[in-house]
Amino acid sequence: MTTSDLTTRYIVPSYGRFPLALARGEGTRVWDENGREYLDFGAGIAVCSLGHCHPVITRALQEQAGILIHTSNLYHTRPQGLLAKHLVEKVMGGQGGKIFFANSGAEANEGLYKLARKFGHSRPTALGTPRTEIITCLESFHGRTLAGIAATGQPKFRDGFAPDMPGFRYVPYNDADALRAAVSDQTAAILFEVIQGEGGIRPVTPAFAREALELREQHDLLIMFDDVQAGLGRTGDLRSWHSVLPPADRFEPDAVSWAKGLGGGFPIGAFWASERAVDDRPLCDLLGPGTHASTFGGTPLGSAVSLAVLEEIERAGLCDHALQMGQHIRQSIAGWEIPCLSEVRGQGLMLGFDLDPSAVQDTAGLAGCQGRACLLATQKLMSAGLLTVPSGERVVRLLPPLNVSAADVDAALSILRDVLTSL
Ligand SMILES: Cc1ncc(COP(=O)(O)O)c(C=O)c1O
C-alpha cells in the first residue's frame, strides 16, 4: 500500500492534502519518498521555527527522554517551571504574570475563553449577572474545537456543527467604529490576532488597536492576543505586536496565547495572563486549583524542548534575522512586474502574496482549483520544488524557518518569480 493509500484507507478525510508524501527533513529542506528535495517555506504552517531536525531540538529531546518524559500536573517539574520563567521574563519582558500550558493553539485559546469567562463572573454587570461575551473578528482563526470555531469569525468552519457555542460576537477586522458599537454591558473581552494568518496575512491597524485600548479603559475589558501563528519571533519580535504596532501605539495585552513555533515541531501550547488586579487577586491567579487542567500540558519533555527552542532563538538572534530576511524578500520583489501579484503583506517571515484571480492566465488550472488562485500557485510551486501554504482564496503564505539562509531565500524567490510569471 502506498502512503497516500494508507491515508485514504485509514484516516478520517478531514484534511485536503496535496499528493506529496514527505519522508525526511533537515534545516529548510524536506525530501519526499522518492528522494526529491523541496525547499520548505511552509515549515509545518509556521511551526518548525528552527527548521527540521535542528540539533538543539534533537539533543533536548534525547536528553530529556532519558531523564523524565511525563508526570501529571499533580507534581512540580523543573523544565516546566524554567519554560514558564523564560516566557514571563524574556518573552513578556519582565512585566510579571503567569503561564498555563496546553498542547495546541486551539487548546491555548480555550484557556483564554475560560479566563475571560472567569473575569466576566468576577466583574459582573450592574444587575449582578456575569459578563459572558467575547468580541472577535471576522476572517479570524482561533482553532477547531467547538469554542474555537465559535470564536473564529468565518462561518464556513461552523457549517454542520450547530448549535454554535454562545458567547462570541464578531466585528470586521480593523473596523474601529464597529468594535466600539459592538461593546455592550455583556462584553468581557476582545480577542484578535495581531496578524490574521488563516485570514490572508492581514496586520492589525494602529487605529483598531488604539480603539481596543480605549474600550478596555472605559469598559473594564480584557484585551487578549492570539499569537499562535505570529508569535515568538516569526514577525521579527517575540511579541508580534511590538513589530506590527508603531512605538506610540504599543501597549501590552491582558493575555496572550501561543503554540506552533513554541515547540519548534513538538506539540505544545500556552497562554500568559497579566498581573492586572481583578478584585482581590491578579488576573493570572483567577483560574485557581481545579478550574482548568490538561493531562499533557507542560510535560517535562515538551517543556525541555520548548525551552531549548526559545533559548536558541535568543542565542542566534533569530528575531533580527527574521526581520532582515523579510526585508530582503521585500527588496528583492520590489522590481517584479507580475500581473497576478497584487500585494505582499505581513512582517518578518510571515508574508502573504495576494494573487488576483482575474489576472491569472492559466484559466484551466484555475478552474481545476475551484477558482482558488492560491491553490493553483501552491500546487505549481510544489511541482517546482518549493513548499508554501495557501490562505483563503487568493493568498500564498511564505513561513520559512526563522533561521533560513539568504541563499535559500534567493532560491525560493527565483522559483516563486518563475511560477507566478507563468500563471
Ligand atoms: C492564529 C491561530 N490560532 C489558533 C490556531 C489553532 O492552532 P492549533 O491548530 O494548534 O489548534 C491557529 C492554527 O492555524 C492559528 O493560526
Side-chain angles (χ1 to χ4, degrees), residues 45 103-107 109 141-144 193 195 197-198 226-230 257 259-260 397:
I45 318 187
N103 304 292
S104 66
E107 205 196 338
N109 285 337
F141 186 78
H142 299 296
R144 298 290 199 137
E193 293 155 86
I195 298 183
E198 304 306 305
D226 177 341
D227 232 16
V228 164
Q229 187 165 153
S257 58
K260 291 193 178 277
R397 272 178 286 180

Side-chain angles (χ1 to χ4, degrees), residues 18 24 100 184 211 219 245 257 301 369-370 378 415 417:
F18 293 109
R24 190 166 71 81
F100 177 88
S184 71
E211 189 70 39
H219 296 272
L245 294 173
S257 58
L301 185 61
C369 293
Q370 294 96 44
T378 308
I415 297 173
R417 183 179 196 167

Side-chain angles (χ1 to χ4, degrees), residues 381-400:
L381 289 165
M382 192 177 85
S383 302
L386 176 63
L387 302 188
T388 58
V389 187
S391 176
E393 303 296 311
R394 33 188 294 164
V395 175
V396 172
R397 272 178 286 180
L398 297 193
L399 305 161

Side-chain angles (χ1 to χ4, degrees), residues 66 126 130 361 365:
Q361 314 266 315

Side-chain angles (χ1 to χ4, degrees), residues 70-74 80 100-103 107 292-300:
H70 178 82
T71 66
S72 70
N73 278 305
L74 294 174
Q80 188 183 100
F100 177 88
F101 287 111
N103 304 292
E107 205 196 338
H292 196 41
S294 169
T295 294
F296 294 117
T299 63

